[in-house]
Amino acid sequence: MTKKTWWWLVAGAVGVLLIAGGWAIDRGLKQRDHPGLATFLGQVLRNYPASFSVEPEVLVISIEEEEMDELQRVVDDARARGVI
């Protein structure tokens, strides 16, 4: 087998794998009620770079002392049981 033939076989195998993988991903997306791989890739190419120009919102959570004590008790109980 010549080098040229070998590279054509490798390129063909890679092409088949890419097509099969793309089909499987497209099918998986459509099973999750998404339009498909082409739409998904378009969304990623549009939204990912745009996400760097957005400032995240700052959330402030206020909790009273009694509620904090109750949460701490739940955490302590979970640690004692080995859940956390």
Side-chain angles (χ1 to χ4, degrees):
M1 185 176 300
T2 66
K3 239 183 192 180
K4 189 175 181 180
T5 305
W6 173 253
W7 281 110
W8 277 110
L9 288 174
V10 169
V14 169
V16 167
L17 288 174
L18 285 174
I19 291 170
W23 177 82
I25 291 169
D26 185 64
R27 185 175 169 100
L29 286 169
K30 288 179 179 177
Q31 286 177 347
R32 290 169 179 80
D33 295 327
H34 194 279
L37 183 59
T39 303
F40 178 77
L41 290 175
Q43 289 171 340
V44 169
L45 292 174
R46 259 188 326 276
N47 295 334
Y48 182 71
S51 69
F52 292 105
S53 64
V54 176
E55 285 296 320
E57 291 186 32
V58 177
L59 299 177
V60 177
I61 299 174
S62 299
I63 188 166
E64 295 182 17
E65 187 69 30
E66 301 85 35
E67 294 168 338
M68 189 63 193
D69 291 340
E70 175 65 17
L71 286 173
Q72 188 62 50
R73 186 191 64 74
V74 170
V75 169
D76 292 340
D77 290 347
R79 284 190 179 139
R81 288 182 288 142
V83 176
I84 298 179

